[in-house]
Amino acid sequence: MKKKIVSAVCGYFKHSREDLIGKGKKAEIVKARQICAYLMCDMLSLPLVAIGNIIGGRDHTTIMYARDKMKNLEKLNSRIEKEIDDIKNIVLKK
């Protein structure tokens, strides 16, 4: 399931897996990475440390920040909400 989430996020935003788990700090890559972390927290019952390791060895506090940020943005921004819903649907259909 974790690979499905990573590949769905990569496919949706047209980024490579290397970009998503890499050290890049471009805004569009960071957004995709944060959505990926949020979806993993939401859809999988994995510890934050494990999710951080999947997404390029990130610290658990980074995953907490991404999760909380996307949860808030999902409520406030309809485009983010649509992107998250679309990716969830892609993951669940695979």
Side-chain angles (χ1 to χ4, degrees):
M1 184 75 136
K2 24 185 186 192
K3 287 183 181 174
K4 284 184 185 179
I5 294 173
V6 171
S7 68
V9 171
C10 289
Y12 189 86
F13 290 108
K14 296 177 178 54
H15 295 309
S16 71
R17 185 177 186 283
E18 290 72 31
D19 284 342
L20 191 74
I21 63 172
K23 301 291 181 199
K25 295 187 194 248
K26 286 185 179 175
E28 63 271 9
I29 293 174
V30 170
K31 176 182 155 191
R33 193 179 293 138
Q34 288 176 335
I35 288 176
C36 186
Y38 171 71
L39 288 172
M40 285 188 178
C41 289
D42 188 46
M43 300 175 83
L44 306 173
S45 54
L46 289 173
L48 297 173
V49 173
I51 295 171
N53 288 335
I54 295 165
I55 306 178
R58 303 264 173 334
D59 191 73
H60 74 282
T61 56
T62 305
I63 303 305
M64 287 169 52
Y65 174 80
R67 177 195 64 198
D68 296 345
K69 180 180 178 181
M70 286 301 138
K71 189 180 284 187
N72 290 332
L73 277 178
E74 187 178 27
K75 294 174 190 162
L76 302 172
N77 186 327
S78 60
R79 196 179 89 231
I80 297 278
E81 181 182 18
K82 182 186 180 325
E83 290 171 345
I84 290 171
D85 283 344
D86 288 349
I87 295 167
K88 266 188 193 177
N89 289 332
I90 292 167
V91 171
L92 295 173
K93 285 178 185 168
K94 283 188 176 180

